[in-house]
C-alpha cells in the first residue's frame, strides 16, 4: 500500500494565505455588493514595464521562426541574463559575484524551499519570529522538525524573536546554529538591516561554520544609501551565504515568474565524513535534475530590466509602491495607530488597536471596512498583536482603504 510523507500532517491547518482567501470568499459570498480592497498578499497590481513587454513580444516572434526558435535552454539560465545581473546587481555594488554563480529560477519562494534538497537532515535551523511562512513549512515538509506546540512553534527550530524592542532585527543566538534564514528588507515587518548588523551575522556564521539563507526579494525598495542591498556587500559573505532575489516585486513579474539564486563557488559545507563539499556543484546538480529552466521569453523580459529604459521604468514602479507605503504609514500614524516599516520596504507592520488579536482585527477590518490585510500571528507567535498591510495596490485603492480604516479606528 502506498504511504504518504507524514511530515505534511504536522503542518498547521491551512497555509496562511489560503486561510485568508477562505475568509474573504465567505464574506464576499455573503456580501456580494461589498467593494473589497485587498492589501493582504504581496501581489503587484501595476503593468509590466514597457521595456519588458516589448522584449517579450520580440522573443515570441523569434519563437515563430525556425532560425531563431529556442527549445530547452540552459537550466542555470541564459548567460546573457546572468551576466547583466552580475554586473548591475552585484559588481556595481562592489560584490565579487560572477555570472556563473547565478542561477535563474521561477521564483525565490521556490528556491528558498528547494535549497533544502542539498542540505542534510541533522542541521540546527534558526528562523526569525515573525517569519515568512515558507521557511518554516518547507522544513516541516522535509522532516526537519517535530510537532508544533500551542503557539505554533515547531520542535527542532530555533526561533529568534524580532520585536519593536530590538527594532525587528534578530539577536544573534548564543548557541551554534547551522542554517539561518534572514530576510531584509523584512517580510512581514518592513524592517531593514544595517551593514553593521549583517556584518555581525556574517562573522557569527563564519565562526560557527553556518550557512545564511539571505532573502533579498525586496532589496529594490531600499532608498537609504547607507543600507546594504546584498549580503555580499559584507566581507566574508562569500564563505557563508546564499542569496535569493526576484523580479516579482521590482519589475512586476509575479505572473510571469523569474528570480535568481546566488551560490558562490567558494561556499562549502561538510559531508558526513567531514570533508568540504562545494555547494555550487550540488545546487547545479539539483537544478539540472529537477528543473528545466525559465522560458526564453520570460528571460528576455527580465534582461530588458537592465536596459536604460527598463531601469527607469522599474524605478518608477518601485517609487510608486513606496509612495503607497508612505501614505499607509503616515495616515495610520496620524490616526493614532502604532506603525512600523513602510520605509525602504513595501510592507507596513501595524500594532492592532483596542487590544484586538491579529485574526480578530483581520475580521473586523474585513467586515467593517471591507479591507483585507494579513494577521501578524500567521507569521509566527511573536507576530500576535500585529497586522501587515501591503503597498502593492492602486493609489486610489490605498487612499480609499486608509479613509475607511481611519473612520473606524481613529483615536
Amino acid at each position: 500500500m502506498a504511504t504518504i510523507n507524514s511530515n505534511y500532517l504536522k503542518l498547521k491547518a491551512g497555509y496562511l494565505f489560503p486561510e485568508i482567501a477562505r475568509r474573504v470568499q465567505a464574506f464576499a459570498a455573503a456580501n456580494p455588493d461589498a467593494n473589497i480592497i485587498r492589501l493582504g498578499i504581496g501581489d503587484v497590481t501595476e503593468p509590466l514595464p514597457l521595456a519588458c513587454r516589448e522584449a517579450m513580444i520580440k522573443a515570441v516572434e523569434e519563437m515563430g521562426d525556425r532560425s531563431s526558435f529556442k527549445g530547452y535552454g540552459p537550466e542555470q539560465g541564459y548567460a546573457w541574463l546572468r551576466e547583466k545581473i552580475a554586473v548591475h546587481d552585484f559588481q556595481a555594488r562592489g560584490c565579487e559575484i560572477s555570472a556563473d554563480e547565478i542561477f535563474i529560477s521561477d521564483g525565490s519562494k521556490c528556491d528558498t524551499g528547494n535549497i533544502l534538497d542539498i542540505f542534510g537532515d541533522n542541521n540546527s535551523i534558526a528562523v526569525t519570529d515573525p517569519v515568512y511562512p515558507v521557511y518554516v513549512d518547507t522544513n516541516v515538509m522535509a522532516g526537519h522538525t517535530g510537532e508544533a506546540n500551542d503557539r505554533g512553534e515547531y520542535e527542532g527550530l530555533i526561533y529568534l524573536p524580532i520585536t519593536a524592542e530590538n527594532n525587528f532585527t534578530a539577536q544573534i543566538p548564543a548557541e551554534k546554529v547551522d542554517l539561518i534564514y534572514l530576510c531584509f528588507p523584512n517580510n512581514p515587518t518592513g524592517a531593514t538591516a544595517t551593514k553593521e548588523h549583517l556584518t555581525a551575522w556574517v562573522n557569527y556564521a563564519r565562526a560557527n561554520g553556518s550557512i545564511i539563507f539571505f532573502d533579498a526579494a525586496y532589496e529594490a525598495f531600499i532608498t537609504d544609501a547607507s543600507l546594504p542591498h546584498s549580503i555580499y556587500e559584507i566581507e566574508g559573505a562569500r564563505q557563508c551565504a546564499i542569496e535569493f532575489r526576484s523580479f516579482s516585486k521590482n519589475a512586476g513579474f509575479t505572473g510571469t515568474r523569474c528570480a535568481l539564486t546566488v551560490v558562490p563557488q567558494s561556499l562549502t559545507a561538510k559531508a558526513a565524513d567531514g570533508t568540504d563539499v562545494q555547494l555550487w556543484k550540488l545546487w547545479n546538480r539539483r537544478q539540472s535534475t529537477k528543473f528545466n529552466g525559465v522560458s526564453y521569453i520570460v528571460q528576455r523580459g527580465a534582461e530588458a530590466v537592465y536596459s536604460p529604459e527598463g531601469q527607469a521604468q522599474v524605478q518608477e514602479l518601485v517609487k510608486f509602491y513606496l509612495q503607497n507605503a508612505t501614505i499607509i504609514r503616515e495616515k495610520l500614524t496620524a490616526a493614532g495607530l502604532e506603525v512600523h516599516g513602510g520605509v525602504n520596504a513595501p510592507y507596513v507592520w501595524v500594532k492592532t488597536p483596542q487590544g484586538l488579536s491579529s485574526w480578530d482585527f483581520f475580521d473586523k477590518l474585513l467586515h467593517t471596512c471591507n479591507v483585507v490585510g494579513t494577521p501578524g500571528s500567521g507569521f509566527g507567535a511573536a507576530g500576535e498583536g500585529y497586522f501587515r498591510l501591503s503597498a502593492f495596490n492602486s493609489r486610489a485603492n490605498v487612499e480609499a482603504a486608509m479613509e475607511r480604516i481611519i473612520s473606524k479606528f481613529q483615536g
Side-chain angles (χ1 to χ4, degrees):
M1 179 180 292
T3 62
I4 64 166
N5 177 353
S6 60
N7 293 306
Y8 277 67
L9 302 180
K10 294 185 293 189
L11 293 168
K12 291 181 290 183
Y15 178 62
L16 172 61
F17 298 112
E19 173 60 18
I20 290 173
R22 185 191 67 78
R23 296 193 186 201
V24 173
Q25 288 168 4
F27 174 79
N31 302 272
D33 295 329
N35 178 18
I36 300 173
I37 298 176
R38 301 169 191 265
L39 302 178
I41 65 172
D43 195 3
V44 296
T45 58
E46 304 310 295
L48 285 171
L50 178 61
C52 299
R53 301 199 307 270
E54 290 178 339
M56 289 179 180
I57 291 169
K58 181 180 178 182
V60 169
E61 292 172 347
E62 290 176 23
M63 299 295 272
D65 188 314
R66 180 182 292 274
S67 66
S68 55
F69 173 80
K70 299 292 188 298
Y72 290 124
E75 290 91 348
Q76 191 174 347
Y78 286 98
W80 36 260
L81 174 56
R82 292 186 284 109
E83 288 163 1
K84 285 186 170 58
I85 292 169
V87 169
H88 288 270
D89 289 345
F90 295 100
Q91 294 167 15
R93 299 195 63 83
C95 306
E96 295 180 7
I97 297 298
S98 62
D100 62 0
E101 296 175 314
I102 296 168
F103 294 78
I104 306 301
S105 77
D106 58 351
S108 56
K109 172 183 177 179
C110 306
D111 284 358
T112 57
N114 292 334
I115 197 70
L116 295 175
D117 282 4
I118 68 172
F119 288 91
D121 295 331
N122 58 345
N123 290 300
S124 54
I125 301 164
V127 298
T128 59
D129 181 11
V131 64
Y132 181 44
V134 172
Y135 308 157
V136 171
D137 288 356
T138 51
N139 274 286
V140 176
M141 294 171 179
H144 297 165
T145 75
E147 300 289 340
N149 62 21
D150 292 340
R151 288 168 52 86
E153 299 167 332
Y154 284 93
E155 179 187 1
L157 294 182
I158 297 167
Y159 289 86
L160 308 174
I162 53 177
T163 65
E165 288 68 34
N166 62 18
N167 293 316
F168 300 102
T169 54
Q171 183 175 348
I172 292 174
E175 69 268 45
K176 179 180 180 296
V177 176
D178 299 312
L179 303 178
I180 304 155
Y181 289 82
L182 296 179
C183 175
F184 291 107
N186 185 254
N187 179 14
T189 68
T192 53
T194 64
K195 190 169 185 178
E196 292 73 22
H197 185 68
L198 291 186
T199 297
W201 273 110
V202 167
N203 291 342
Y204 168 88
R206 295 190 67 188
N208 289 280
S210 312
I211 300 293
I212 297 172
F213 297 150
F214 190 74
D215 189 343
Y218 301 97
E219 61 79 27
F221 294 88
I222 296 174
T223 58
D224 185 337
S226 71
L227 297 175
H229 289 239
S230 169
I231 198 164
Y232 300 119
E233 294 179 48
I234 310 302
E235 184 178 355
R238 284 182 54 87
Q239 282 69 50
C240 66
I242 294 172
E243 183 166 306
F244 306 91
R245 289 200 180 196
S246 174
F247 290 93
S248 285
K249 307 304 166 63
N250 64 335
F253 274 52
T254 55
T256 46
R257 313 305 304 142
C258 196
L260 62 111
T261 292
V262 181
V263 184
Q265 299 254 11
S266 52
L267 188 60
T268 63
K270 296 292 183 182
D273 62 3
T275 58
D276 290 325
V277 178
Q278 186 189 46
L279 292 177
W280 184 95
K281 289 183 178 179
L282 299 185
W283 185 242
N284 186 57
R285 184 70 169 86
R286 190 269 173 205
Q287 292 297 83
S288 298
T289 301
K290 292 188 173 185
F291 185 57
N292 263 348
V294 175
S295 81
Y296 171 76
I297 296 164
V298 169
Q299 289 192 64
R300 280 300 187 192
E303 180 194 28
V305 166
Y306 300 100
S307 68
E309 298 81 7
Q311 289 284 282
Q313 291 160 17
V314 166
Q315 288 171 11
E316 283 301 309
L317 273 180
V318 170
K319 180 180 177 181
F320 174 82
Y321 290 126
L322 281 174
Q323 288 172 341
N324 280 352
T326 297
I327 291 170
I328 295 171
R329 188 183 73 250
E330 291 182 351
K331 291 283 188 181
L332 296 185
T333 298
L337 297 177
E338 180 183 326
V339 179
H340 305 273
V343 180
N344 301 300
Y347 294 123
V348 178
W349 192 238
V350 184
K351 182 70 175 174
T352 57
Q354 304 168 4
L356 293 170
S357 73
S358 295
W359 277 108
D360 285 345
F361 186 59
F362 172 90
D363 288 332
K364 187 166 185 178
L365 212 59
L366 175 62
H367 287 264
T368 64
C369 303
N370 302 160
V371 172
V372 177
T374 310
S377 59
F379 297 102
E384 178 53 70
Y386 285 92
F387 199 77
R388 192 192 76 175
L389 290 171
S390 166
F392 295 115
N393 213 307
S394 69
R395 182 63 45 77
N397 277 349
V398 166
E399 291 177 341
M402 292 307 100
E403 292 305 315
R404 294 180 192 180
I405 294 172
I406 289 170
S407 69
K408 297 294 183 181
F409 293 98
Q410 186 164 19

